[in-house]
Every structure is written in C-alpha cells, then in structure tokens.
Amino acid sequence: MTGAKGANGVNFGADGHLWISGGDQNVVYHAPPTGGAATVFASGYAIVTSDTTMPVRAYVTNGLGIDSKGAIYTGNTGTGEITRIEVRPGHQAGNITSFAKDTRLTGADGIVVTVGDTLYVTANFSNTIAKIDPAGNVTVLATDDAHETLRFPAELKKVGGTVYVANLNFPVGRNAGQTAKGATIAALELP
C-alpha cells in the first residue's frame, strides 16, 4: 500500500480491506485487499485544539479501531475525543459522530476494539489506559504517575486479559520527569 501520508494506526476490516489513520493529516485512508494506492475515506472531520501548550495537538486522527459492524474509530490526541465513522457500501464514509470525549483521554493514541465492541485506548499525554463501553462511557483502567509501567503509551494490542503497550517514553504531559531512556513494551493484566 502506498500514499498514506502521516500513516499512524492500521487495521484490517473483516473483508480484508486496509484502513489507515493519517495522524497529523486529519484523514483516514482505505486500500483494497490487493494493496496499491490508498484513497481518502474521510477527511477534515477532526479539530485541532486551541491549547498551544499541547505538543501533540496536531495528531487529530491517531490510532484506528474497527467494531463488529465495520465502523471506524480514531482518536484526537489533542482533545481526547474518539470519533466513530460509519462505513457504507462501497467503502464510503457515512455518519461521523463523536463517540466519547473526556479530558482523561487527552493524548488518545492507540485504539483496540474487543468483543462486544468495547474499546481500549492509550492516552499518551495522560499516561493512561482507558476502556470505553459501547455506550461511550469512559473508565480509566491504569494511570502511572510513577512511570513504572506506562511511559507515554502509544500503540496497544489486547491478548486475552493482557494488554501489551508500546511506550514511546517522551518526557511530556504526565510522563514529564521520568528518567527511563528509550522505548519499552509493557504487559498489563486488565479486566
């Protein structure tokens, strides 16, 4: 697949089609199972926060999850909003709605959709992992101000009751003041 400027989160739909979030490009891309050039699926739907102290505010389409109905979810890192995009026949964008918005999700980065359409989200600036139920209710599962396990968490994968988190270890937000060097992978047992 080529042509997905700012590629960030990637995921395959049940039909084998590839979906890519465009990070700071405010776009979601789509490519068929055969690969090739990515096409724009949805664009311009996310806002950049006016808070200029937020260093990651330009990343308005971070992470990418797909629910059991094929809807696409992306995270706005600067605002803590999770957006849901309906996928219509022909892989066309339908309704684009705010699924959840919470200051505890500031830094929304990685998104995984699990059984029952429950979302797990890493919030790098907040040094947090949260769960969002199908109604959009946010529950913080882990926050780490001691920087022992979470250090600016980005991408995540859930296997059974374990969530594996890629920590970028950038010293900003709630991760400011940490002394560890380099990226790490953390394994957390979560409900």
Side-chain angles (χ1 to χ4, degrees):
M1 192 280 305
T2 61
K5 187 174 181 186
N8 181 275
V10 297
N11 210 324
F12 284 95
D15 60 359
H17 285 249
L18 178 62
W19 300 91
I20 307 104
S21 62
D24 62 350
Q25 300 299 303
N26 200 359
V27 66
V28 173
Y29 301 97
H30 164 261
T34 55
T39 58
V40 173
F41 166 71
S43 67
Y45 63 87
I47 62 161
V48 175
T49 181
S50 60
D51 180 0
T52 57
T53 65
M54 169 64 65
V56 292
R57 71 191 191 111
Y59 294 89
V60 295
T61 52
N62 249 3
L64 191 137
I66 303 173
D67 72 13
S68 64
K69 297 170 193 71
I72 304 292
Y73 296 82
T74 63
N76 186 321
T77 302
T79 65
E81 181 173 31
I82 306 299
T83 301
R84 181 183 184 276
I85 308 171
E86 175 188 17
V87 178
R88 291 193 174 154
H91 300 93
Q92 300 299 310
N95 294 324
I96 300 174
T97 57
S98 178
F99 179 67
K101 186 173 182 181
D102 193 303
T103 57
R104 299 172 297 174
L105 295 176
T106 302
D109 197 337
I111 300 172
V112 170
V113 182
T114 62
V115 175
D117 292 335
T118 297
L119 278 65
Y120 287 79
V121 177
T122 53
N124 56 37
F125 197 77
S126 301
N127 230 26
T128 294
I129 297 176
K131 178 172 79 170
I132 307 173
D133 70 20
N137 300 306
V138 177
T139 302
V140 171
L141 299 175
T143 299
D144 191 355
D145 289 329
H147 318 295
E148 294 173 358
T149 306
L150 298 177
R151 299 183 182 116
F152 204 83
E155 188 60 43
L156 75 160
K157 296 295 177 204
K158 188 170 187 299
V159 180
T162 303
V163 175
Y164 296 91
V165 179
N167 288 307
L168 296 181
N169 207 22
F170 298 158
V172 297
R174 288 179 85 165
N175 199 46
Q178 58 78 24
T179 57
K181 301 294 180 201
T184 61
I185 303 292
L188 294 89
E189 297 295 322
L190 298 175

